[in-house]
Amino acid sequence: MPTTATAASVLFVCVHNAGRSQMAAGFLSHLAGDRIEVRSAGSLPAEQVNPAAVEAMKEVGIDISGQTPKVLTTEAVQASDYVITMGCGDACPIFPGKKYLDWALDDPAGKGVEAVRPIRDEIKTRIQALIAEIDARQES
Protein backbone atom coordinates (compact mmCIF):
# COMPACT_ATOMS: atom_id res chain seq x y z
CA MET A 1 0.00 0.00 0.00
CA PRO A 2 1.56 3.35 -1.00
CA THR A 3 2.46 5.74 1.74
CA THR A 4 1.45 9.38 1.67
CA ALA A 5 4.23 10.48 4.02
CA THR A 6 6.90 12.73 2.56
CA ALA A 7 10.39 11.30 2.15
CA ALA A 8 12.00 14.23 3.93
CA SER A 9 11.57 17.89 4.68
CA VAL A 10 14.02 20.53 3.50
CA LEU A 11 14.46 24.12 4.67
CA PHE A 12 16.38 26.57 2.48
CA VAL A 13 17.76 29.60 4.29
CA CYS A 14 19.40 32.76 2.98
CA VAL A 15 19.52 36.27 4.37
CA HIS A 16 16.64 37.86 2.44
CA ASN A 17 14.67 34.75 1.33
CA ALA A 18 14.24 36.58 -1.96
CA GLY A 19 16.58 34.88 -4.43
CA ARG A 20 18.67 31.77 -3.82
CA SER A 21 16.41 30.08 -1.27
CA GLN A 22 13.30 30.87 -3.31
CA MET A 23 14.85 29.44 -6.50
CA ALA A 24 15.99 26.34 -4.59
CA ALA A 25 12.53 25.82 -3.09
CA GLY A 26 10.97 26.29 -6.53
CA PHE A 27 13.24 23.68 -8.11
CA LEU A 28 12.76 21.16 -5.30
CA SER A 29 8.96 21.51 -5.37
CA HIS A 30 8.97 21.24 -9.17
CA LEU A 31 11.35 18.25 -9.42
CA ALA A 32 10.27 16.24 -6.36
CA GLY A 33 6.57 17.08 -6.32
CA ASP A 34 4.96 16.39 -2.98
CA ARG A 35 7.43 13.63 -2.07
CA ILE A 36 9.60 16.17 -0.25
CA GLU A 37 8.27 18.90 2.02
CA VAL A 38 9.83 22.25 1.07
CA ARG A 39 10.28 25.36 3.21
CA SER A 40 12.32 28.52 2.75
CA ALA A 41 13.08 31.43 5.03
CA GLY A 42 15.46 34.31 5.63
CA SER A 43 17.22 35.76 8.64
CA LEU A 44 16.30 39.28 7.40
CA PRO A 45 13.50 38.73 4.85
CA ALA A 46 13.11 41.18 2.00
CA GLU A 47 9.84 42.87 1.02
CA GLN A 48 9.43 40.73 -2.11
CA VAL A 49 11.05 37.96 -4.13
CA ASN A 50 13.85 39.23 -6.38
CA PRO A 51 12.26 40.05 -9.78
CA ALA A 52 15.36 38.76 -11.61
CA ALA A 53 15.04 35.43 -9.77
CA VAL A 54 11.35 35.25 -10.72
CA GLU A 55 12.23 35.96 -14.37
CA ALA A 56 15.11 33.43 -14.42
CA MET A 57 12.86 30.71 -12.99
CA LYS A 58 10.06 31.58 -15.42
CA GLU A 59 12.55 30.88 -18.25
CA VAL A 60 12.76 27.25 -17.08
CA GLY A 61 9.02 26.91 -16.58
CA ILE A 62 8.81 27.41 -12.81
CA ASP A 63 6.65 30.19 -11.38
CA ILE A 64 7.83 31.56 -8.02
CA SER A 65 6.08 34.92 -8.45
CA GLY A 66 3.46 34.04 -5.84
CA GLN A 67 6.03 33.41 -3.10
CA THR A 68 6.77 35.89 -0.34
CA PRO A 69 9.91 36.09 1.80
CA LYS A 70 9.38 34.55 5.24
CA VAL A 71 11.25 35.05 8.49
CA LEU A 72 13.40 32.18 9.74
CA THR A 73 11.89 30.57 12.83
CA THR A 74 13.25 28.00 15.25
CA GLU A 75 10.15 25.91 14.54
CA ALA A 76 10.92 25.75 10.82
CA VAL A 77 14.41 24.44 11.57
CA GLN A 78 13.12 21.90 14.11
CA ALA A 79 10.51 20.62 11.62
CA SER A 80 13.08 20.02 8.85
CA ASP A 81 15.32 17.03 8.16
CA TYR A 82 17.69 19.03 5.96
CA VAL A 83 18.68 22.64 6.55
CA ILE A 84 20.47 24.19 3.60
CA THR A 85 22.03 27.57 4.23
CA MET A 86 23.10 29.98 1.53
CA GLY A 87 25.16 32.69 3.14
CA CYS A 88 23.12 33.37 6.27
CA GLY A 89 26.13 32.94 8.53
CA ASP A 90 25.52 32.56 12.25
CA ALA A 91 21.83 33.49 12.02
CA CYS A 92 20.82 29.86 11.47
CA PRO A 93 20.03 27.94 14.66
CA ILE A 94 21.68 24.53 14.99
CA PHE A 95 19.79 21.51 16.30
CA PRO A 96 21.10 17.97 16.74
CA GLY A 97 19.84 15.32 14.34
CA LYS A 98 19.48 17.63 11.33
CA LYS A 99 21.58 17.43 8.19
CA TYR A 100 23.15 20.84 7.57
CA LEU A 101 24.55 21.81 4.19
CA ASP A 102 26.03 25.20 3.33
CA TRP A 103 25.81 26.06 -0.35
CA ALA A 104 28.21 28.84 -1.31
CA LEU A 105 26.29 30.63 -4.04
CA ASP A 106 26.56 34.18 -5.34
CA ASP A 107 23.87 36.49 -4.02
CA PRO A 108 21.58 37.56 -6.89
CA ALA A 109 20.44 40.70 -5.04
CA GLY A 110 20.64 43.76 -7.27
CA LYS A 111 21.70 41.76 -10.32
CA GLY A 112 19.93 41.42 -13.64
CA VAL A 113 18.51 38.19 -15.02
CA GLU A 114 21.71 37.56 -17.05
CA ALA A 115 23.72 37.36 -13.80
CA VAL A 116 21.05 35.26 -12.08
CA ARG A 117 20.92 32.51 -14.75
CA PRO A 118 24.23 30.83 -13.76
CA ILE A 119 23.19 30.93 -10.08
CA ARG A 120 19.84 29.37 -11.04
CA ASP A 121 21.58 26.63 -13.03
CA GLU A 122 23.98 25.83 -10.17
CA ILE A 123 21.02 25.60 -7.78
CA LYS A 124 19.24 23.17 -10.12
CA THR A 125 22.33 20.93 -10.24
CA ARG A 126 22.56 20.92 -6.44
CA ILE A 127 18.82 20.23 -6.07
CA GLN A 128 19.07 17.22 -8.41
CA ALA A 129 21.95 15.84 -6.28
CA LEU A 130 19.97 16.50 -3.09
CA ILE A 131 16.93 14.60 -4.42
CA ALA A 132 19.22 11.68 -5.35
CA GLU A 133 20.69 11.69 -1.82
CA ILE A 134 17.26 11.81 -0.17
CA ASP A 135 16.01 8.99 -2.40
CA ALA A 136 19.10 6.89 -1.64
CA ARG A 137 18.58 7.37 2.12
CA GLN A 138 14.95 6.29 1.79
CA GLU A 139 15.95 3.10 0.01
CA SER A 140 18.59 2.10 2.56
Side-chain angles (χ1 to χ4, degrees), residues 36-95:
I36 299 173
E37 187 177 5
V38 181
R39 298 180 182 89
S40 70
S43 51
L44 293 167
E47 294 290 316
Q48 66 180 29
V49 175
N50 181 332
V54 171
E55 183 61 32
M57 292 299 285
K58 192 178 290 179
E59 291 176 354
V60 294
I62 300 172
D63 182 8
I64 61 169
S65 64
Q67 298 300 316
T68 54
K70 294 168 275 312
V71 70
L72 176 64
T73 64
T74 302
E75 293 77 22
V77 177
Q78 288 176 315
S80 302
D81 300 310
Y82 291 77
V83 179
I84 299 174
T85 58
M86 303 172 182
C88 72
D90 297 332
C92 301
I94 305 291
F95 292 98

Side-chain angles (χ1 to χ4, degrees), residues 113-129:
V113 71
E114 301 79 21
V116 174
R117 285 185 189 117
I119 301 167
R120 173 202 66 200
D121 295 344
E122 174 65 20
I123 289 171
K124 181 179 182 185
T125 299
R126 291 178 187 224
I127 292 295
Q128 290 168 325

